[in-house]
Amino acid sequence: MTTSGASGLLRKFEEIARATYLELFFDVVFVFALRALAQQLLSNLTWTGAYRALVLLLAIGWVWNLTARATGQLNPRRPPVQLLVIATMVGALVLSAAAPEAFGKTGLIFAVTYIAIQIGRSLFLVLLLRGHESQRLAGRAAIWHAVTGVPWLIGSVASSSVRTALWTLAVVLIYVARWFSYPLPGLRRLAGAQLPAGGEYLADRNRALFVIALGEVILAIGSSLTGRGFATDQTVAFVVTFASTALIWRIYIFRAGEDIGPAIQASANPDRLGTLVSYAHLVMIAALVVASAGAEIVIDDPLGHPRATATVTVLGGTALFLAGRALLEYLVFGHVSKSRVIGLVALACLLPPMLRLPALLNGFATGAVLTGIVIADNIRVRRHPAAISPPGPHRSSNT
């Protein structure tokens, strides 16, 4: 039951459809966050560096995800809600600035800022949502973030290898805890959706995050071209990398990307499916961080000596995107189209020969695979324009 105090801070259900200007303002911070992660990856192109970038992405992505869920429920016109979002923005900026050296000299700053954001938001929601059922979830979240804050803090002053292990533990624990609605000993498990938001709202927020990540790739492409000049090989590399980015956008939005909202609404457990959709988007966001680093490699040294790390980065970013997009398609329609699978197989087959070729040819190869998928999608639409069933988990569709 909701008290009158809490009800004034909540959105009406019919208002939960699209992000407000406050939420879009909040999203801008994450362009900087993803840029910082891409730079961190680019400066340490090893499996260890990639894994550490993933840990940081999961932490920063979780800040965005939980804030987006909160603003989906709260009225952004109310000053306390605006204060919460702006304070989170400040914290997210500090978090992003500390990310490039988080496994070095700024580890403590990153850990303390992350904990402060997560616990601070949760406690603030406990105060704002007095009398509302969602207050219990916020309280449990505060406890879990405090518990997982311990490995964050210990890791921040430990060696880099120990830090990696402890921060991995902290990230895994909080993701698992949220999946089970933050369980606590002696207390009954909460029902699935304690912070309800409309399916289209959740879809819109995830699409916004994906577009932000695309924007970061575009920023990387433009910055690299500016830094390297307009020599012929750099200009060709610019065209290739931008075309691949546009193709990624086209593949993302095709059918499943457009039908996320109806699929969530049609699900028996919208909160659970919404969480899975967020996870699928995090996979694709990770792919775009890798793609951003790959684009810079292609433009900076398009015809240079072949490097295995460059090839794996360029092809790997595209492969990771296709994997995330296939997962999204399965969540929305219950199956994966053949073109996605064929694209992944093609990239795997291309990897060995591409190791001996310069970065620009790697870029051409990934662009060719993406083009083939887009062509396959268009052919399928022309052949079966009306064979699209309503979206929803395990419902067939011609996607």
Side-chain angles (χ1 to χ4, degrees):
M1 186 171 182
T2 306
T3 66
S4 58
S7 62
L9 292 169
L10 300 176
R11 290 194 196 187
K12 296 179 181 178
F13 182 78
E14 59 271 16
E15 295 175 344
I16 306 175
R18 290 288 187 272
T20 63
Y21 290 118
L22 177 64
E23 292 161 291
L24 295 176
F25 182 42
F26 172 73
D27 289 346
V28 172
V29 174
F30 289 86
V31 176
F32 174 51
L34 296 175
R35 179 92 286 256
L37 289 176
Q39 289 300 307
Q40 194 266 355
L41 175 62
L42 197 58
S43 64
N44 190 12
L45 272 180
T46 63
W47 289 115
T48 299
Y51 181 78
R52 289 174 176 174
L54 174 62
V55 172
L56 298 179
L57 173 64
L58 291 174
I60 293 173
W62 202 234
V63 169
W64 182 90
N65 186 281
L66 294 184
T67 305
R69 282 178 173 268
T71 55
Q73 186 184 29
L74 300 172
N75 184 349
R77 295 184 179 87
R78 295 297 301 272
V81 180
Q82 294 174 352
L83 175 63
L84 172 63
V85 174
I86 292 174
T88 304
M89 287 178 66
V90 174
L93 277 172
V94 176
L95 202 66
S96 303
E101 294 290 334
F103 286 91
K105 60 184 179 181
T106 59
L108 183 61
I109 295 173
F110 187 93
V112 170
T113 304
Y114 172 81
I115 296 168
I117 292 172
Q118 302 291 44
I119 296 179
R121 183 203 313 102
S122 299
L123 292 178
F124 199 69
L125 289 174
V126 169
L127 295 175
L128 288 181
L129 299 172
R130 287 190 302 271
H132 192 271
E133 60 181 3
S134 298
Q135 184 186 37
R136 290 181 296 169
L137 185 68
R140 292 188 181 203
I143 294 172
W144 267 98
H145 282 298
V147 170
T148 56
V150 175
W152 276 107
L153 286 175
I154 296 175
S156 68
V157 294
S159 64
S160 58
S161 58
V162 174
R163 184 177 306 180
T164 302
L166 288 174
W167 285 8
T168 298
L169 173 65
V171 167
V172 170
L173 283 176
I174 201 63
Y175 271 76
V176 172
R178 175 60 184 86
W179 179 258
F180 292 104
S181 299
Y182 302 117
L184 291 175
L187 297 179
R188 69 178 181 85
R189 184 178 171 184
L190 295 177
Q194 295 292 316
L195 284 174
E200 188 53 45
Y201 173 83
L202 291 175
D204 190 58
R205 297 301 287 129
N206 279 288
R207 283 192 293 257
L209 183 60
F210 184 82
V211 171
I212 287 169
L214 282 176
E216 197 288 310
V217 179
I218 298 299
L219 178 62
I221 292 172
S223 298
S224 296
L225 183 64
T226 300
R228 299 295 294 179
F230 290 85
T232 301
D233 52 351
Q234 262 83 33
T235 302
V236 173
F238 161 76
V239 172
V240 169
T241 53
F242 180 82
S244 294
T245 305
L247 290 167
I248 285 174
W249 167 81
R250 177 65 181 84
I251 293 169
Y252 167 78
I253 204 65
F254 181 76
R255 294 289 160 76
E258 294 176 335
D259 291 333
I260 300 170
I264 295 174
Q265 290 297 111
S267 173
N269 191 334
D271 180 71
R272 181 62 56 86
L273 182 57
T275 299
L276 287 172
V277 165
S278 296
Y279 292 171
H281 277 80
L282 274 177
V283 174
M284 291 185 285
I285 300 306
L288 291 177
V289 170
V290 177
S292 174
E296 291 197 52
I297 290 171
V298 173
I299 296 175
D300 286 346
D301 192 18
L303 298 175
H305 185 74
R307 291 181 294 154
T309 53
T311 300
V312 171
T313 302
V314 175
L315 271 66
T318 303
L320 190 57
F321 164 72
L322 291 178
R325 179 56 177 74
L327 174 60
L328 177 65
E329 186 174 328
Y330 180 78
L331 293 173
V332 173
F333 294 113
H335 73 91
V336 178
S337 61
K338 294 179 181 178
S339 62
R340 313 289 186 261
V341 177
I342 293 173
L344 284 169
V345 172
L347 288 170
C349 293
L350 284 169
L351 180 60
M354 287 295 116
L355 291 172
R356 300 176 179 276
L357 298 174
L360 180 57
L361 294 182
N362 296 168
F364 271 116
T366 56
V369 172
L370 293 171
T371 300
I373 294 174
V374 170
I375 291 173
D377 289 342
N378 291 334
I379 290 174
R380 216 162 33 248
V381 169
R382 291 177 182 176
R383 288 181 177 176
H384 309 282
I388 305 298
S389 60
H394 304 290
R395 300 183 185 186
S396 62
S397 177
N398 200 33
T399 57

